[in-house]
Amino acid sequence: MVRKVVFWIHLISGLVAGAVIAVMSVTGVAIAFEEEILAWCDREVRRIEPASPGAGPLSLEQLRDKARGDRPDFDVDYIVVPRDANLAYELFAKREGPLYADPNTGTLRDSRAHGVHEVLHELEEWHRWLGMHGEGMATGKLITGICNLAFLLLCVTGLYLWFPRTWSGRALRPRLWLAGHYKGKAREFNWHNVFGLWSLPVLLMLAATAVVISFGWAHRLVFTLAGEEAPKSRNFGMMAVPPPQVPTPDAGAPRLPMDQLLARAQGEVPDWRTIGVRFPSDADVAKAAPVKLEVMRDDTMPSRAYVPVELDPFTGEVLQAVRFEDRSPGLRARVWIRFLHTGAGFGLTGKIVVTLATLASLILVYTGFALSWRRFAARRR
């Protein structure tokens, strides 16, 4: 009786959520490799020739002013400086960019990945809220969240149903290994059991992390278990920290050039990979706000690699530098959940493992629908 109840829970959950799970699986595979795809598209325009001996790069202010002169409609306010001397600097204007600049000559090159980025952005919208916009986004997010819960339920009930009634070699073999000679229903049952079993640990992790990402209550639960108050933001805004206070400068004290502040941040985080430099706005200058540089270390998880360094614009003193290891246990756990979901927590290998499991979920959706169709068609006959 228990097995029958679990079976019908599994069947109904699959029929209700199967199509949405398939959409999230297909789109998830593409957006998991977004960074690699965009880097490949711009692999040529990002490369530059190293500076000749004795020559140095333009200052950040010179590079910004030259880019503004060459592209008057591109008001540069943010520059990403790579550690690799063979890579161009990345220039941004508000949310526009990147525009690649040779720091030695100021030569500008346009990104070739804009079209691909738009496609990936569209896939991301389908993955998160089924491509809905405006007021429909909340509905789409609720649907995908419910289907993530259903996916988690499918994993748990599927594991229960996988166990055979009798533990014999004949019963276990088609549940453990693919059998090439099976046809029709037997083949679909074989595929459903084998792909389900071997992908289950990863799919269970994907479903559980998706629930945390989808629902505010699950997001808060992570912090509650750590004995902390959850931040309101459930995206990269979780990493925000209150800005420090700049000591009152001496009368007439000049602001340091951005290159000196950049060098100070490089010294503060020796293992830096890139540093994002945001030029202060007029309002920041007027209120003597700290200068914030966004340092990224060499790490597969952007949130773990991220170190916001805030400096005194008059003295270059480091007022604040928050590394991942300085974060609270709850926030570290929440960040891990985010990147376990994409596999990026374990680098390219993790992404490949997650992709293979995601492709297996498509086979599970297909075989689940096929087996259901056979069951209901047989009843109707």
Side-chain angles (χ1 to χ4, degrees):
M1 180 63 183
V2 174
R3 189 178 185 89
K4 188 174 182 180
V5 171
V6 172
F7 168 79
W8 280 104
I9 292 174
H10 186 82
L11 177 63
I12 294 172
S13 299
L15 292 176
V16 170
V20 176
I21 290 172
V23 170
M24 291 191 292
S25 296
V26 171
T27 55
V29 168
I31 64 178
F33 293 95
E34 179 177 3
E35 182 180 350
E36 290 81 3
I37 293 171
L38 296 178
W40 183 85
C41 292
D42 282 342
R43 65 194 183 282
E44 295 180 2
V45 295
R46 295 176 68 213
R47 307 298 296 183
I48 61 171
E49 294 295 329
S52 57
L58 300 173
S59 71
L60 293 175
E61 285 87 350
Q62 289 174 327
L63 188 62
R64 176 199 59 183
D65 295 342
K66 187 176 187 310
R68 285 176 172 177
D70 294 344
R71 301 286 181 92
D73 58 337
F74 195 84
D75 189 15
V76 177
D77 63 352
Y78 188 78
I79 297 179
V80 176
V81 179
R83 190 183 194 107
D84 189 342
N86 295 312
L87 293 180
Y89 288 12
E90 297 178 33
L91 278 54
F92 294 84
K94 299 295 186 286
R95 295 189 177 183
E96 297 181 40
L99 181 65
Y100 295 104
D102 186 329
N104 305 307
T105 64
T107 303
L108 302 177
R109 294 180 181 176
D110 291 298
S111 171
R112 298 176 180 175
H114 288 306
V116 176
H117 186 271
E118 290 299 320
V119 172
L120 291 172
H121 181 68
E122 186 69 23
L123 291 175
E124 187 174 325
E125 290 184 343
W126 275 91
H127 185 77
R128 292 181 175 180
W129 40 74
L130 300 179
M132 298 183 184
H133 298 88
E135 296 180 357
M137 287 174 57
T139 302
K141 193 169 185 178
L142 178 61
I143 293 173
T144 56
I146 291 173
C147 290
N148 284 324
L149 277 172
F151 196 10
L152 185 60
L153 185 61
L154 282 167
C155 291
V156 175
T157 55
L159 177 62
Y160 178 84
L161 294 172
W162 179 90
F163 286 95
R165 290 185 173 89
T166 57
W167 288 82
S168 64
R170 183 176 181 181
L172 283 173
R173 197 173 299 112
R175 296 171 183 267
L176 289 171
W177 312 110
L178 294 174
H181 61 281
Y182 285 168
K183 303 294 181 183
K185 180 180 178 180
R187 178 184 60 194
E188 291 155 5
F189 184 81
N190 174 235
W191 286 13
H192 200 76
N193 278 280
V194 173
F195 282 103
L197 174 68
W198 293 109
S199 64
L200 179 63
V202 180
L203 293 182
L204 192 60
M205 179 268 295
L206 289 177
T209 53
V211 170
V212 173
I213 295 170
S214 297
F215 293 104
W217 60 264
H219 164 79
R220 292 189 295 272
L221 179 61
V222 175
F223 291 90
T224 300
L225 293 175
E228 303 170 21
E229 183 178 352
K232 293 181 180 179
S233 177
R234 286 154 53 190
N235 50 34
F236 195 73
M238 291 186 296
M239 311 299 290
V241 293
Q245 187 70 35
V246 175
T248 303
D250 296 333
R255 296 175 66 92
L256 295 178
M258 296 302 291
D259 286 73
Q260 288 190 30
L261 299 177
L262 173 65
R264 188 67 185 86
Q266 291 170 343
E268 178 67 22
V269 188
D271 58 341
W272 68 279
R273 180 169 55 90
T274 65
I275 298 180
V277 180
R278 185 171 302 281
F279 289 91
S281 64
D282 293 339
D284 291 333
V285 173
K287 64 182 181 182
V291 174
K292 181 176 179 180
L293 281 72
E294 298 180 328
V295 181
M296 301 297 289
R297 297 184 291 185
D298 195 12
D299 198 299
T300 57
M301 287 167 50
S303 295
R304 189 171 61 187
Y306 174 66
V307 182
V309 177
E310 303 197 56
L311 305 170
D312 185 322
F314 303 98
T315 66
E317 179 187 356
V318 176
L319 303 175
Q320 185 169 260
V322 185
R323 293 166 173 79
F324 185 75
E325 50 269 28
D326 301 326
R327 306 284 185 171
S328 69
L331 184 57
R332 294 200 301 269
R334 180 63 178 81
V335 168
W336 263 104
I337 287 171
R338 161 68 176 83
F339 290 99
L340 283 175
H341 185 69
T342 63
F346 298 100
L348 182 61
T349 301
K351 291 184 179 182
I352 293 173
V353 171
V354 165
T355 296
L356 293 175
T358 304
L359 293 175
S361 73
L362 294 174
I363 296 175
L364 295 176
V365 171
Y366 160 71
T367 54
F369 276 125
L371 289 168
S372 300
W373 173 261
R374 290 180 185 278
R375 168 177 287 273
F376 291 124
R379 286 195 169 195
R380 187 173 182 181
R381 285 196 298 270

